Amino acid sequence: NEDGITISAGDGDLVITNMATLVGQPLTIAQASQRYSLQAGLCLPIPDREQVASLDRTHVQCLKNETFWARQLRNLQPLEIPYPTIRPLHQGRPNSHEISVPGCVGHLWDENASRDTRGDVLVCLWVAFWSRLGRDGLFDLGLSHPAISHAPLMSNVVPLRVNYSQGETLREFVRRMFLQIRNIYERPGYLTDIVARQPDLKKLSQLQEGTVFPVVLERIGSDHFHPKVSENELTITVADTGAYCLLHSNSRIEQSTLELIGRHWTAFVKEGLARPDAAIDRIPLLSEEERRTIIEDWNQTKTRFPADRCIQAWFENQVSRNPGAACLIENDRTFTYASLNRLANQFAWYLRSLEIHPGDYIGLQLPPCIERVALQLAVLKAGGAFVPLELDWPPDRLEAISRQCALRF
């Protein structure tokens, strides 16, 4: 009723009032009834003594580590995914992409690495990959593992703090992160109502929904993947054997982007396993085919320059097509094609008044600026050719160039 919720037990009634969510937000009786499907006459399940004792032990252990987790959450710096995430969130079939690991990853820790070890090394390789994408310093990923308690009211995702410095080798990084992850496994997670006891964490209201981490690394105990609707922008499920991974998103990431992430990670791991003592920031993310496409194929911009028109004529053609478009920007000055052409014409008329003839060489000794470009065009318009001269050249060199080119000015 409006006064609260009454639960009848064998030794009396329990009345619950002044309800709140796990993150401390007020919750009305009507909201609670709708959220938990409560109605008069509902018979609640009764836990046995063993279940109660197990929950008590877990909660006691959690409270012992709550200060540690509160500090981690208070200083949280979630990783921002450096890939497009522009698709609006909607319910439906999740996007997913499965990846086969290109090689044995266990030897980065031990030549005879166990099944469980290989899975954790694979997690470390994903951490190294996100570090390689340009995050120099601190950031946090979400970590989910069977060793982290999944008991009721427990968070099944905890923060994994990453501290990466440029120059660190892949082998060094993986071994350091491996020990850090194993240390996390020894701590149970935190109770999801930690925000109610730690008021300064209320800004992280996503803790209850588990969406505070855009990227979550999830370890499972088998190779059987089942795509699911992720509560996070990106969940990376890692097989216990270290042989497979599955990327799945909450539909904020397009299928093509998941496949792109998979290709970059595969190329990174393949090269990293071949050169484990190379610095992480030196390990390429592009396959040889992608590198050739981007660097070579896309740069095949060679175009035959028509020999029937001069450069200044092509510039004037662009002036007539886009007179108001920005042509040159220098600090807070912007010249359009039309304004640059007017300045060049003024200089050209002045040069012609000095009787510049076709074939004459004009020396230009100015710092990089708009006027320098205008003078270059002006010399061409006047029929001459310009010779660029640097300001810091010694007098002897300037004199030699002036003599060899027979500079008019």
Side-chain angles (χ1 to χ4, degrees):
N1 55 47
E2 295 181 358
D3 297 329
I5 297 176
T6 301
I7 302 176
S8 297
D11 53 357
D13 292 344
L14 172 66
V15 180
I16 302 177
T17 60
N18 298 324
M19 299 184 69
T21 66
L22 292 176
V23 293
Q25 298 298 320
L27 187 68
T28 66
I29 301 302
Q31 290 172 334
S33 299
Q34 182 178 8
R35 177 177 294 191
Y36 301 110
S37 302
L38 301 179
Q39 59 184 358
L42 178 66
C43 184
L44 300 177
I46 302 177
D48 57 34
R49 291 181 180 274
E50 183 177 343
Q51 289 176 315
V52 173
S54 176
L55 284 174
D56 286 342
R57 287 193 299 270
T58 300
H59 289 180
V60 169
Q61 292 175 348
C62 287
L63 292 175
K64 288 181 179 179
N65 290 278
E66 185 161 291
T67 301
F68 171 81
W69 290 121
R71 183 170 60 251
Q72 298 295 312
L73 295 170
R74 194 174 293 118
N75 300 317
L76 206 62
Q77 299 182 43
L79 172 72
E80 296 181 5
I81 301 177
Y83 288 90
T85 56
I86 59 177
R87 186 174 178 180
L89 179 62
H90 66 273
Q91 297 297 325
R93 181 178 177 82
N95 295 324
S96 62
H97 177 59
E98 186 171 329
I99 307 172
S100 296
V101 180
C104 181
V105 301
H107 74 272
L108 287 174
W109 177 258
D110 190 318
E111 291 293 340
N112 301 312
S114 65
R115 174 190 180 102
D116 189 54
T117 297
R118 292 196 296 271
D120 286 337
V121 170
L122 196 54
V123 170
C124 295
L125 285 173
W126 273 106
V127 178
F129 170 75
W130 294 115
S131 300
R132 171 63 179 84
L133 286 171
R135 286 299 302 263
D136 185 14
L138 298 176
F139 63 92
D140 290 283
L141 299 167
L143 178 64
S144 178
H145 186 276
I148 299 171
S149 178
H150 289 217
L153 304 183
M154 294 285 298
S155 172
N156 60 357
V157 178
V158 297
L160 173 63
R161 171 57 56 92
V162 181
N163 185 359
Y164 167 70
S165 299
Q166 288 190 347
E168 188 173 12
T169 69
L170 181 64
R171 191 192 304 274
E172 294 169 342
F173 182 85
V174 166
R175 295 195 170 194
R176 180 168 60 81
M177 289 305 304
F178 183 92
L179 294 176
Q180 183 177 335
I181 290 173
R182 286 298 174 93
N183 182 55
I184 289 178
Y185 294 165
E186 296 177 1
R187 301 175 183 268
Y190 51 86
L191 295 170
T192 51
D193 64 346
I194 187 174
V195 178
R197 293 185 302 279
Q198 304 282 341
D200 57 334
L201 295 180
K202 285 188 176 180
K203 60 182 179 180
L204 297 174
S205 59
Q206 309 97 313
L207 286 175
Q208 181 181 356
E209 291 78 22
T211 59
V212 71
F213 302 102
V215 179
V216 170
L217 300 173
E218 178 189 42
R219 281 270 276 107
I220 62 173
S222 69
D223 288 341
H224 301 292
F225 296 129
H226 301 285
K228 58 185 179 181
V229 178
S230 172
E231 295 176 338
N232 311 281
E233 291 184 19
L234 176 63
T235 298
I236 303 168
T237 302
V238 175
D240 215 20
T241 59
Y244 301 95
C245 303
L246 178 70
L247 309 182
H248 45 106
S249 76
N250 61 2
S251 298
R252 291 281 311 272
I253 302 179
E254 296 282 0
Q255 181 68 31
S256 58
T257 302
L258 289 181
E259 294 171 2
L260 177 63
I261 295 173
R263 290 197 301 272
H264 288 172
W265 182 83
T266 300
F268 173 79
V269 172
K270 186 176 181 180
E271 184 67 22
L273 293 178
R275 299 190 296 125
D277 293 316
I280 288 177
D281 48 63
R282 295 296 182 182
I283 299 177
L285 297 175
L286 300 178
S287 65
E288 183 59 30
E289 181 180 357
E290 281 186 305
R291 189 203 66 81
R292 189 182 305 110
T293 298
I294 295 174
I295 297 179
E296 297 180 12
D297 295 348
W298 288 356
N299 282 305
Q300 293 297 328
T301 58
K302 183 177 180 180
T303 303
R304 183 177 178 274
F305 190 82
D308 59 339
R309 300 182 74 180
C310 297
I311 292 177
Q312 63 271 27
W314 282 105
F315 174 75
E316 290 171 350
N317 181 62
Q318 184 69 8
V319 172
S320 63
R321 293 174 58 189
N322 298 292
C327 179
L328 290 177
I329 299 176
E330 179 191 359
N331 298 326
D332 58 350
R333 295 197 303 162
T334 299
F335 269 56
T336 64
Y337 281 97
S339 58
L340 180 63
N341 191 50
R342 282 194 298 270
L343 181 61
N345 286 340
Q346 292 171 6
F347 288 153
W349 282 111
Y350 175 73
L351 291 174
R352 285 181 178 178
S353 71
L354 300 177
E355 298 184 351
I356 298 297
H357 302 292
D360 287 344
Y361 291 93
I362 309 299
L364 297 181
Q365 190 178 27
L366 294 95
C369 61
I370 290 176
E371 287 73 17
R372 176 174 173 174
V373 177
L375 278 169
Q376 291 172 343
L377 287 168
V379 172
L380 297 176
K381 286 172 177 282
F386 63 85
V387 179
L389 305 172
E390 297 298 329
L391 293 171
D392 57 353
W393 282 355
D396 292 346
R397 183 175 184 181
L398 292 172
E399 183 179 349
I401 293 175
S402 177
R403 186 172 56 254
Q404 292 173 4
C405 297
L407 297 181
R408 282 287 306 276
F409 299 100

